[in-house]
Amino acid sequence: MWERRSPERNPQQASERREETMEKAEIGLIGLGTMGSNLALNIAEHGHRIAVFNRTPSRTDAFVESAGSLKDMVVPCYGLEELAAAIRPPRPIIIMVLAGKPVDEQIAALRGVLSDNDIVIDAGNANFRDTMRRFSELSGSGLTFIGMGVSGGEEGARHGPSIMVGGTEESWKRVEKVLTAISAKFKGEPCAAWLGHDGAGHFVKTIHNGIEYADMQMIAEIYGILRDGLGMAPKEIGKVFEEWNKGRLNSYLIEITAKVLAADDPKTGKPVVDIILDRAGQKGTGKWSVIEAQQLGIPATAIEAAVAARVLSSLKDERQAAEKAYGDMGVEKISGDKAALLKDLELALFAGKIAAYAQGFAVMSGASKEFNWNLPMPTIAKIWRAGCIIRSQMLDTMAEAFGSGGASTNLLMAPAFIAMMKEAHPSLRRIVARASEAGSPVPALSSALAYFDSYRQGRGTSNLIQAQRDFFGAHGFERIGEQGAFHGPWGSGAGH
Ligand code: NDP
């Protein structure tokens, strides 16, 4: 249905008229939904004439109407041929439609109207495996494919997102100017970069979202402790987050949490958070992060816990039935010095967040080796410092840690982060313990703590697991300080 056209318009005549009267556009964009329309305005505002097309023509009309003073920089098109004719070759065309099949349909349709050297850029939240497939399907066709992760939501798309590009370096060079111009800037540095071949950009965007899941879940867990354990009202909790945003937790997500908690519902006058159903949605990137982490054999427990928490949140009816079955145990009040408790909560969130980022970066490092991407970790941390949803002050310190090589094994091994974790982990430990005793669920924070505790233990407990495996399955084990495979003296009852 993508070629539905405005009946009153003749695309051929329109494009001929345009050829005569108008300067050609430098770039094209398909899909004028929330992200596409804002990205198009952002591109136009930076002085790049843009041709746009949307499956539903009325949306194109509405977009042009809303473009205001940027109207002259926008070329509305009502068919793909018209779109191709409106752009100066070689044409870069951004696709910003629903991820999945619609992207394949658009690419197939574009193949009929584009020419050699044109670049098709998928800017939606694609699964990086689809991006790799599309990249190889288009190679040799004359067209070039770029898979581009964009983060920052509506506001970011309009005024400066973080842009993660995957494709050939040559294709990046051809679009670098416009992409860096429209991206967010951190102290003047653009938050847009080429990260590697084929699916690299979409993979990094996926992990960005996985970290975002963990970050949001941990904030919600702290909110739960403040609300149920300390009995605080939304506005009071909002003030706490507002304060924290001035310190080490300074980040976009903490900033918006404070704002969300301060807002009232115009209909009831109650705090907005109190009238929202406790059921969170998800579109797939969190789940993909977890699946890929498992495939690569890299622990990403805080991200896994966050994805699972969203799934549990969606089981509203089951949870209500369980509350009846177990009796409304609620959450016990947490007593003690409130100022000290708030300090602990702030540091606990800080430590949990570091562990979640360490996991996300470790997954990217594993994928980089697996797919030969050579992902530039310092650059990734740098382009996440502004524009994207997880932007935070801490990412600047991470960029330094990766840049100096201190985090090459794991972020938790970078000297700056060792110091931070040494200071903050006792608070995470106390908060996880107190929340668990009180009955306030903290799945992401406790997973982060368990990851940290397992990671920092020179001698863990899997010696016992190896013994068990050898007992029932004759899998053998390694002896400390000796080469070779050994079996235990298990005697009768052993499986081998
Ligand atoms: P919207 O729902 O606002 O818009 C969807 C767009 O896709 C519309 O232009 C729609 O056209 C088009 N579309 C849907 N199905 C088809 C199809 N079968 N053929 C052609 N066009 C189709 O989505 P968003 O702008 O929010 O998201 C677009 C992409 O960006 C998605 O991949 C999303 O995951 C990603 N993204 C979204 C972010 C956000 O914060 N919203 C952030 C980062 C990435 P029509 O008007 O005809 O329905």
Side-chain angles (χ1 to χ4, degrees), residues 220-275:
E221 289 169 16
I222 297 289
Y223 155 72
I225 296 170
L226 291 168
R227 183 188 68 181
D228 304 328
L230 275 76
M232 288 166 67
K235 285 197 173 48
E236 203 188 343
I237 304 175
K239 289 258 177 295
V240 171
F241 280 104
E242 199 181 315
E243 260 326 288
W244 288 350
N245 196 40
K246 294 176 190 157
R248 66 183 91 209
L249 284 173
N250 175 260
S251 62
Y252 174 69
L253 282 170
I254 295 286
E255 179 193 328
I256 64 161
T257 303
K259 288 184 179 159
V260 162
L261 286 159
D264 286 326
D265 171 39
K267 206 162 149 191
T268 59
K270 290 182 182 169
V272 170
V273 276
D274 287 350
I275 55 104

Side-chain angles (χ1 to χ4, degrees), residues 31-35 54-56 59 97-99 102 106 124-125 150 153:
L32 291 168
T34 308
M35 292 299 284
N54 192 72
R55 175 182 63 169
T56 308
R59 203 165 201 166
V97 302
L98 214 62
Q106 288 303 314
N125 272 339
V150 177

Side-chain angles (χ1 to χ4, degrees), residues 1-4 30-38 53-60 95-103 105-106 122-126 148-155 157 205 209 283 285 389:
M1 294 304 289
W2 50 267
E3 269 188 322
R4 207 185 317 150
I30 299 173
L32 291 168
T34 308
M35 292 299 284
S37 57
N38 282 292
F53 165 77
N54 192 72
R55 175 182 63 169
T56 308
S58 57
R59 203 165 201 166
T60 309
I95 302 178
M96 198 45 146
V97 302
L98 214 62
K101 206 164 152 245
V103 176
E105 288 167 2
Q106 288 303 314
D122 174 20
N125 272 339
M148 177 169 109
V150 177
S151 176
E154 189 174 359
E155 185 64 18
K205 173 70 203 297
N209 285 21
K283 281 195 179 152
T285 43
I389 303 296

Side-chain angles (χ1 to χ4, degrees), residues 393-451:
Q393 186 177 289
M394 201 200 279
L395 273 158
D396 199 28
T397 321
M398 286 183 202
E400 279 168 29
F402 283 108
S404 67
S408 55
T409 317
N410 186 298
L411 187 64
L412 290 176
M413 292 304 289
F417 285 86
I418 292 175
M420 287 185 240
M421 281 306 275
K422 277 187 175 170
E423 185 195 352
H425 82 82
S427 296
L428 178 58
R429 198 172 305 290
R430 278 193 294 272
I431 291 304
V432 167
R434 298 201 69 176
S436 305
E437 275 175 3
S440 190
V442 284
L445 287 170
S446 58
S447 300
L449 176 63
Y451 173 77

Side-chain angles (χ1 to χ4, degrees), residues 189-210:
E189 280 185 65
C191 292
W194 174 68
L195 302 177
H197 208 54
D198 53 38
H202 275 140
F203 186 84
V204 171
K205 173 70 203 297
T206 298
I207 299 304
H208 164 283
N209 285 21

Side-chain angles (χ1 to χ4, degrees), residues 254-335:
I254 295 286
E255 179 193 328
I256 64 161
T257 303
K259 288 184 179 159
V260 162
L261 286 159
D264 286 326
D265 171 39
K267 206 162 149 191
T268 59
K270 290 182 182 169
V272 170
V273 276
D274 287 350
I275 55 104
I276 299 177
L277 201 62
D278 57 333
R279 199 155 60 184
Q282 53 177 317
K283 281 195 179 152
T285 43
K287 186 172 76 180
W288 298 339
S289 301
V290 170
I291 290 171
E292 295 306 330
Q294 291 283 355
Q295 293 276 14
L296 292 161
I298 312 276
T301 52
I303 300 171
E304 286 168 20
V307 175
R310 284 211 196 173
V311 177
L312 261 164
S313 86
S314 70
L315 308 177
K316 179 77 175 167
D317 295 343
E318 265 185 68
R319 288 190 287 115
Q320 281 177 328
E323 188 173 79
K324 272 202 191 114
Y326 283 91
D328 184 5
M329 300 191 292
V331 172
E332 276 177 27
K333 287 284 167 277
I334 296 174
S335 57

